[in-house]
Amino acid sequence: MPRLQDKVALVTGAGSGIGFAIAERFAAEGARLLVVDWNPEAAARAAETIGRGAIAVQADVTQVADVQRTIDQGREAFGRIDILVNNAGTSHEKGPFEGVPEAEFDRMFDVNLKSIFHYCAAISPVMRKQGGGVILNVGSTAGNRPRPGLAYYNASKGAVHNLTKTLALELAGARIRVNALAPVATETPLLKTFIGGDDTPELRAQMRAIVPLGRLAQPRDVANAALFLASDEAEFLTGVILDIDGGRSI
Ligand SMILES: NC(=O)c1ccc[n+]([C@@H]2O[C@H](COP(=O)([O-])OP(=O)(O)OC[C@H]3O[C@@H](n4cnc5c(N)ncnc54)[C@H](O)[C@@H]3O)[C@@H](O)[C@H]2O)c1
């Protein structure tokens, strides 16, 4: 039996990279999908590729009205939302912390953290009424094993991990499980911001060298972990920050 049969999942930032891989994997396991992205073409393309009735929704996850609209749309279309994946995220240009403009700091925390504030506030009453649910937040190895040059990205992901644990405690009584995924450098369009410079083969090799299993993550590695945490197989797991990092964080 498919592992997410009859579940409804909303995945943010699903127009690209990790979010797309998660949405596609969930749909292949029987879930009905809301593909949320602020890039309407990317969302539409992703939903079409996924098929199986996936719905594309254009929304900026930093805007509370957009967030509420995505949840309303999901409930109208499918009657419920069982799984929320707070995946949309962004990074700032690699460099010393003194050089990061205030506007970049704000953008980092708005997209990576405030989006979770908006989404969890909006989904909590829905999941409580349904008798439970699953929330997955996409963190990063940057949140528990930070490297220099990405100070405020690292800080935002550290906050995502901490928030995940508190929400897990506050929502446990409502049978809402809250976990986080912490991938190492993953082959997506965002990767170049973590590599920095001109993203040369040498810089990529340096990145691979810090991963004990000897390669970067692929979006499918993160999607496989997300599938497990979202499924009933993980019914006793909450507040977990799952490293998907080939041993990097050991
Ligand atoms: N790629 C990596 O190396 C890596 C490693 C660890 C964690 N992550 C995290 O994984 C998540 C996904 O990143 P990715 O690598 O797939 O990046 P990506 O750039 O491929 O995809 C991010 C998607 O989010 C969307 N998005 C960005 N801002 C948005 C907003 N305000 N509203 C709605 N959608 C928005 C983008 O349009 C894009 O489709 C992020 O949270 C990122 O921090 C990535």
Side-chain angles (χ1 to χ4, degrees):
M1 168 146 148
R3 291 157 76 186
L4 299 181
Q5 187 69 45
D6 298 328
K7 303 280 190 198
V8 177
L10 186 160
V11 183
T12 70
S16 172
I18 291 170
F20 173 69
I22 291 174
E24 195 177 37
R25 188 85 175 88
F26 281 12
E29 290 291 340
R32 286 166 295 165
L33 258 299
L34 281 147
V35 174
V36 175
D37 206 288
W38 71 352
N39 177 336
E41 290 87 29
R45 225 178 11 251
E48 197 182 328
T49 308
I50 290 166
R52 300 168 193 261
I55 295 175
V57 187
Q58 191 279 331
D60 180 347
V61 296
T62 69
Q63 302 300 313
V64 66
D66 279 22
V67 167
Q68 188 59 53
R69 178 169 50 78
T70 63
I71 289 175
D72 292 345
Q73 249 175 285
R75 294 179 74 202
E76 272 160 36
F78 300 123
R80 54 188 295 117
I81 298 175
D82 302 288
I83 303 162
L84 165 67
V85 185
N86 288 309
N87 162 79
T90 190
S91 182
H92 58 84
E93 205 171 315
K94 198 169 176 188
F97 79 93
E98 294 98 330
V100 179
E102 185 178 348
E104 279 294 90
F105 174 92
D106 288 342
R107 190 175 65 85
M108 211 55 27
F109 276 78
D110 279 357
V111 180
N112 295 354
L113 191 66
K114 198 171 191 184
S115 59
I116 302 180
F117 165 81
H118 287 320
Y119 262 107
C120 288
I123 203 76
S124 152
V126 175
M127 289 184 170
R128 283 180 191 277
K129 208 165 162 194
Q130 289 170 187
V134 176
I135 298 172
L136 295 181
N137 298 324
V138 178
S140 172
T141 49
N144 47 20
R145 186 113 198 261
R147 291 184 308 127
L150 287 163
Y152 299 112
Y153 176 78
N154 297 344
S156 73
K157 292 299 183 178
V160 169
H161 294 182
N162 189 285
L163 178 62
T164 298
K165 293 183 185 184
T166 309
L167 294 181
L169 291 173
E170 292 199 14
L171 292 172
R175 303 187 63 77
I176 300 169
R177 298 190 292 106
V178 189
N179 293 297
L181 303 157
V184 75
T186 308
E187 302 260 17
T188 74
L190 196 61
L191 179 61
K192 58 181 183 311
T193 62
F194 304 127
I195 291 178
D198 292 328
D199 186 5
T200 59
E202 291 72 30
L203 287 173
R204 284 202 171 218
Q206 282 173 21
M207 201 80 157
R208 278 196 299 276
I210 63 170
V211 180
L213 283 182
R215 67 166 172 85
L216 302 185
Q218 295 296 326
R220 69 164 186 280
D221 297 313
V222 188
N224 287 335
L227 173 61
F228 167 63
L229 285 175
S231 76
D232 291 342
E233 293 157 34
E235 67 176 357
F236 202 50
L237 301 193
T238 197
V240 169
I241 314 300
L242 185 57
D243 295 325
I244 305 149
D245 68 350
R248 160 70 183 156
S249 302
I250 295 169

